[in-house]
Amino acid sequence: MGIAETKIYPINTGWLEADLGTYTFWKGPAGKKIWNPCYCYYVDTGEHKILVDTGLCDEERATKYHHKCEKRGSTEVHLHLKEKLGVDPSEIDAIVFTHLHWDHVQNMKEFPNARYIAPSAEIEMAYNPLPLYYRTYECGILGIEPAYAGCVFEGITDETEVLPGITMFHTPGHSVGHMGVTVATSAGDFVICGDAIFQSRNLEPNPTEMWRYWVPARFVNALEGWKSVEEIDKRADYILACHDKACGDHEVYPFPGIELRKRRQFIPGFPFYFGDMPPGAAEKSAPAMKAEDVDDYMASLIPPTPDH
């Protein structure tokens, strides 16, 4: 049991419309809309059945209170598990939440035997949100009952292996208590990023601004947000974001022939800002890109558009 058996299944719970320049890519094309999938992930370790986040509610509720939503054939997480993966919701042992924003927590009460595990700072914010985030956490003052009303969480304060092979680590910035989730597999470490990044492309440079990363624009703290993007780059052999349609290209991870990403690769002219590495991670960094290859690499990048 464990790493050799671990499989990760992406579950798209629907599509939300958002702005490219105020959500997905900071200094991106503001005013242009993009449809983002909303993924959660089912992790089967052979010993435990786990969800990382629980995704969207129904289309009507999402559109009424938040963003324009379309299901496009997707279903809510408990229905997807049962109908497409043959997993009864009662079999889920634990739900690990990256954060408690509305589009990551819906239908959590459909899992009667699950432990609810979340960052402590997120729990505190969810039950007493800053007014700017009343809607994000579905605060009752707006007449909305949040999905977690009446639920009891296990709060995680420090980096913790919450289940064998499943580790939560700090990635604040998008929200005050946000945490990434590392899933150890036979192919390497997958990081389920929540909303610390919206797409894996957030780890690509922005050559116009000379940024090493083209970070997301939806944040409560830009300094922490940038540091968290670097932290993901340091730790991830593979990346699974929650709003990246590319994550739905495969039904299960890892898959045969999956390509190892270049972890923490230095690109000449685009320096890192935070140089420290987590214990045991420095030797996993990719070799630096050769200076003569930088121009060709930059030319190969596709600028963000509503279609890309």
Side-chain angles (χ1 to χ4, degrees):
M1 299 292 183
I3 289 176
E5 290 79 24
T6 295
K7 300 292 182 184
I8 307 169
Y9 299 83
I11 298 175
N12 185 1
T13 59
W15 296 78
L16 297 174
E17 187 183 51
D19 191 283
L20 268 171
T22 57
Y23 271 80
T24 312
F25 293 96
W26 195 3
K27 284 186 178 273
K32 295 186 180 297
K33 301 295 185 181
I34 184 173
W35 282 95
N36 297 292
C38 192
Y39 281 100
C40 56
Y41 293 90
Y42 166 56
V43 182
D44 187 346
T45 69
E47 180 180 1
H48 293 286
K49 298 181 187 299
I50 303 155
L51 284 173
V52 180
D53 295 344
T54 55
L56 289 177
C57 51
D58 61 89
E59 189 175 291
E60 181 181 3
R61 176 186 166 105
T63 300
K64 178 179 179 180
Y65 293 120
H66 302 286
H67 298 270
K68 187 186 296 184
C69 176
E70 294 180 358
K71 285 295 184 178
R72 303 185 185 182
S74 298
T75 59
E76 293 160 63
V77 59
H78 57 292
L79 299 175
H80 184 108
L81 282 170
K82 194 168 186 177
E83 296 169 4
K84 298 185 179 181
L85 296 176
V87 177
D88 192 273
S90 63
E91 298 178 59
I92 299 298
D93 301 309
I95 305 173
V96 179
F97 292 99
T98 59
H99 62 308
L100 298 178
H101 286 179
W102 73 277
D103 56 327
H104 292 257
V105 300
Q106 300 297 324
N107 297 297
M108 55 187 287
K109 293 178 182 175
E110 297 288 342
F111 303 93
N113 298 316
R115 301 160 55 192
Y116 302 139
I117 304 172
S120 295
E122 279 295 293
I123 298 168
E124 294 175 11
M125 180 60 71
Y127 283 103
N128 185 29
L130 186 74
L132 294 173
Y133 291 88
Y134 279 164
R135 192 166 298 277
T136 305
Y137 289 101
E138 295 191 327
C139 182
I141 199 170
L142 298 178
I144 313 171
E145 182 175 277
Y148 42 78
C151 294
V152 177
F153 289 96
E154 299 176 31
I156 303 300
T157 303
D158 300 312
E159 181 172 333
T160 304
E161 186 177 34
V162 293
L163 291 160
I166 311 295
T167 299
M168 298 178 70
F169 65 97
H170 289 293
T171 52
H174 174 76
S175 64
V176 293
H178 197 289
M179 298 183 84
V181 179
T182 299
V183 180
T185 76
S186 58
D189 292 336
F190 283 80
V191 173
I192 299 175
C193 304
D195 285 355
I197 60 173
F198 288 152
Q199 299 183 12
S200 62
R201 293 173 62 201
N202 288 126
L203 289 168
E204 295 175 355
N206 177 343
T208 301
E209 301 298 328
M210 297 304 295
W211 295 350
R212 174 57 183 82
Y213 304 104
W214 199 330
V215 295
R218 183 74 160 93
F219 53 79
V220 298
N221 186 310
L223 181 66
E224 287 186 343
W226 185 286
K227 186 173 184 178
S228 294
V229 172
E230 290 207 27
E231 192 69 17
I232 290 167
D233 192 15
K234 295 170 185 177
R235 293 172 180 255
D237 293 318
Y238 312 94
I239 285 173
L240 293 173
C242 288
H243 297 291
D244 189 344
K245 64 181 180 180
C247 293
D249 289 347
H250 300 276
E251 294 182 355
V252 63
Y253 295 86
F255 53 85
I258 189 170
E259 185 176 348
L260 194 71
R261 68 177 291 271
K262 293 180 179 179
R263 188 195 289 205
R264 186 68 171 174
Q265 184 179 42
F266 175 72
I267 300 173
F270 295 83
F272 298 117
Y273 191 80
F274 295 98
D276 57 309
M277 295 288 283
E283 67 274 12
K284 296 182 180 180
S285 298
M289 183 178 291
K290 295 179 181 178
E292 59 266 28
D293 295 333
V294 173
D295 288 345
D296 286 343
Y297 171 68
M298 292 299 158
S300 73
L301 301 179
I302 301 174
T305 68
D307 297 323
H308 294 92

